[in-house]
Amino acid sequence: MKCAICGAEMGLLSKTFHYDTKTNGGWEHNSTMEILGLQSVDVELMFCKKCFHSTISPAFDSAALYSPNAVEVRRRLAPPPASAGDAGCAETLRKCAAHLTRLANNLALLGGDIPAGDVTVVDIGGGDGANGAIYAQVLGHITKRPSSVKVVDPVDRQYSAVERADNRHEGEGYSVTVLSHVAEHVFAPVDLIRGGYESLKPNGIIIVEVPDDRIAWLKAVLGRPVGLHYHVQHFSPLSLAKSLRAAGFSDIQVKVFPRSTYHGQLQPTIVAVGRKGSGILETGAGGAFAQYLSLGLHVALRLGSAIGRKFL
């Protein structure tokens, strides 16, 4: 398998795990098997030393996992989500505050000016568009310009045609593209991010947020089972920065947020922002030593969190 970021041949990081319809690999693996109609599969975790990046093998049609036909399978096999009513008012407000803190941290990475004109945000794969709407409202309020948000679902395969039609005139496009917890679900993340590049105005900004799943590398080395997961890419700060650069972005800044959240729950994340056409190739990703240091801190924090939940 070739690296989805740089195209180099990837090496094997895990053992090879064989699954069939009688094997219980957890709800994500089991639902993936059922949705794809697989009777058996051998699963491995591949690793690129150049990018500090891993990908699940074999590649499969990950878009099928989010098709209308897959909804019933996920509903049947996935654990029921906790409702806001079950959490109580204080816990619900805590989750709201954590979510707003997460978005504020992401906005703090932006440098320079927002492109002239109305503040327009496109939220790719943004579900109900809540994140894109918050970004649009805050940026519009601060810049005192009209603001709007559009949500685009890359699974429906209509993204490229729709957005290129919108941007057929020079200077048109969006001010900000948001890719929040989307790139880890696809086998061609650079193509996805490049679609965000094409949707932007000149000097437009992209915000890419992915889960920090690098703990999967330690689990693979220790022989823990690797199954067909909904997260098919595991990014590092370096691989996320290189993804934006390969898609055409410059002025790239990357930061790890070990205490970030997702739906109000603790979820370490890696966030990168880039600009279309600035020509500056700065990045906060660092070299190999920085990647090893960042990985060590990530593993230590994850292990500390796990120990705390068990004994405290």
Side-chain angles (χ1 to χ4, degrees), residues 13 45 47 54 211-226 229 231 234-236 267-268 270 294-306 309:
L13 187 64
L45 190 64
F47 187 77
S54 66
D212 191 346
D213 285 333
R214 290 176 292 170
I215 192 70
W217 303 347
L218 177 62
K219 293 179 179 178
V221 170
L222 295 177
R224 295 284 297 276
V226 176
H229 200 280
H231 292 180
H234 304 138
F235 288 89
S236 68
Q267 171 62 72
I270 306 172
S294 177
L295 175 59
L297 290 172
H298 169 69
V299 170
L301 288 169
R302 291 294 292 269
L303 291 178
S305 178
R309 287 196 302 269

Side-chain angles (χ1 to χ4, degrees), residues 87-125:
C89 181
E91 178 64 9
T92 299
L93 291 176
R94 183 198 67 77
K95 290 183 177 181
C96 291
H99 188 83
L100 291 174
T101 300
R102 164 193 156 197
L103 299 187
N105 288 335
N106 296 349
L107 282 173
L109 289 177
L110 301 183
D113 297 326
I114 305 298
D118 293 357
V119 177
T120 52
V121 177
V122 58
D123 194 338
I124 302 176

Side-chain angles (χ1 to χ4, degrees), residues 254-308:
V254 185
K255 188 169 183 179
V256 176
F257 292 99
R259 303 294 298 176
S260 189
T261 60
Y262 186 68
H263 292 310
Q265 302 298 324
L266 180 65
Q267 171 62 72
T269 61
I270 306 172
V271 181
V273 298
R275 194 174 288 273
K276 180 177 182 176
S278 73
I280 305 171
L281 292 178
E282 295 178 4
T283 172
F289 176 77
Q291 300 310 305
Y292 283 117
L293 179 61
S294 177
L295 175 59
L297 290 172
H298 169 69
V299 170
L301 288 169
R302 291 294 292 269
L303 291 178
S305 178
I307 292 171

Side-chain angles (χ1 to χ4, degrees), residues 164-286:
R164 287 169 184 162
D166 283 350
N167 302 326
R168 58 186 177 275
H169 300 301
E170 181 66 27
E172 291 187 359
Y174 294 93
S175 312
V176 179
T177 293
V178 178
L179 276 165
S180 179
H181 291 266
V182 181
E184 69 273 16
H185 293 280
V186 300
F187 281 97
V190 173
D191 289 345
L192 179 69
I193 295 170
R194 187 176 292 115
Y197 181 92
E198 294 175 354
S199 74
L200 285 170
K201 298 176 180 179
N203 210 38
I205 298 166
I206 193 168
I207 304 173
V208 183
E209 183 179 25
V210 297
D212 191 346
D213 285 333
R214 290 176 292 170
I215 192 70
W217 303 347
L218 177 62
K219 293 179 179 178
V221 170
L222 295 177
R224 295 284 297 276
V226 176
L228 295 178
H229 200 280
Y230 283 32
H231 292 180
V232 300
Q233 309 285 352
H234 304 138
F235 288 89
S236 68
L238 179 62
S239 69
L240 187 58
K242 291 179 74 170
S243 297
L244 267 68
R245 188 173 299 164
F249 287 98
S250 53
D251 196 10
I252 300 164
Q253 303 296 328
V254 185
K255 188 169 183 179
V256 176
F257 292 99
R259 303 294 298 176
S260 189
T261 60
Y262 186 68
H263 292 310
Q265 302 298 324
L266 180 65
Q267 171 62 72
T269 61
I270 306 172
V271 181
V273 298
R275 194 174 288 273
K276 180 177 182 176
S278 73
I280 305 171
L281 292 178
E282 295 178 4
T283 172

